[in-house]
């Protein structure tokens, strides 16, 4: 099971980077009316969204192998809360982009994307603290 705890930090960078660049490109491309940038952003957002699911599963499996979680339990629960918020927010964004294509729907889609960006950065912050402050899944 420690395999999954070590695998999780290796794969998390894909959704973090794809969703971050995707949201920034989509919003920047839309404001600048640059379709190429917006399309690149849409691609990254969608690929990042699908990458969330293996990362969540591996995160859960990795968590099962953790011991002495007392000293970092607040960070672990912060990480989990943000991970779920991130997933929920991007699911809502995907639903809006597919089924609500009116100008209002598009406005809401962009707002939800920004909320998702904040959530994914929060997830990364708490996850990073687990590894680099508390030494979770490292040789420390
Ligand atoms: C939105 C999905 C998720 C993202 C983007 C994410 C991101 C991260 C990041 C960036 C780190 C730090 C890696 C490093 O600094 O090298 C981390 C570590 C960690 N995450 Fe996640 N995570 C997600 C979901 C989950 C879930 C659902 C769980 C558990 C139920 C979890 C449990 C952990 C644990 C235990 C660590 C410490 C390292 C380890 O033991 O694997 N993560 N995560």
């Amino acid at each position: 099971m420690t395999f999954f705890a070590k695998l999780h930090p290796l794969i998390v960078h894909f959704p973090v980077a794809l969703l971050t660049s995707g949201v920034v490109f989509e919003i920047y491309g839309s404001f600048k009316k640059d379709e190429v940038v917006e399309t690149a952003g849409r691609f990254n957002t969608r690929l990042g969204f699908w990458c969330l699911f293996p990362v969540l599963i591996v995160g859960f499996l990795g968590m099962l192998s953790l011991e002495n979680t007392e000293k970092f339990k607040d960070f672990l629960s912060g990480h989990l809360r943000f991970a779920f918020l991130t997933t929920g927010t991007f699911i809502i964004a995907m639903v809006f982009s597919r089924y609500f294509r009116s100008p209002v729907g598009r406005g809401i889609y962009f707002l939800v994307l920004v909320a998702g960006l904040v959530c994914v950065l929060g997830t990364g912050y708490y996850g990073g603290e687990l590894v680099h402050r508390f030494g979770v899944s490292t040789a420390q």
Side-chain angles (χ1 to χ4, degrees), residues 2-13 15-16 19 51-53 55-66 72 76 79-80 82-84 86-87 119-120 123-132 136-138:
T2 55
F3 167 76
F4 292 108
K6 290 192 163 71
L7 180 64
H8 183 68
L10 294 182
I11 60 174
V12 289
H13 301 90
V16 173
L19 291 172
C51 285
L52 279 175
F53 298 97
V55 164
L56 283 169
I57 293 167
V58 171
F60 269 115
L61 294 173
M63 195 177 64
L64 299 178
S65 67
L66 297 184
F72 53 82
L76 188 56
H79 184 57
L80 258 179
F82 267 108
F84 283 124
T86 303
T87 311
C119 292
V120 79
T123 312
Y125 165 73
Y126 279 106
E129 291 294 278
L130 286 175
V131 175
H132 303 284
V136 175
S137 300
T138 66

Side-chain angles (χ1 to χ4, degrees), residues 33 43 45 50 55 69 93 103 116 118 129-131:
K33 308 224 177 315
F43 180 86
T45 307
W50 289 113
V55 164
T69 53
V118 172
E129 291 294 278
L130 286 175
V131 175

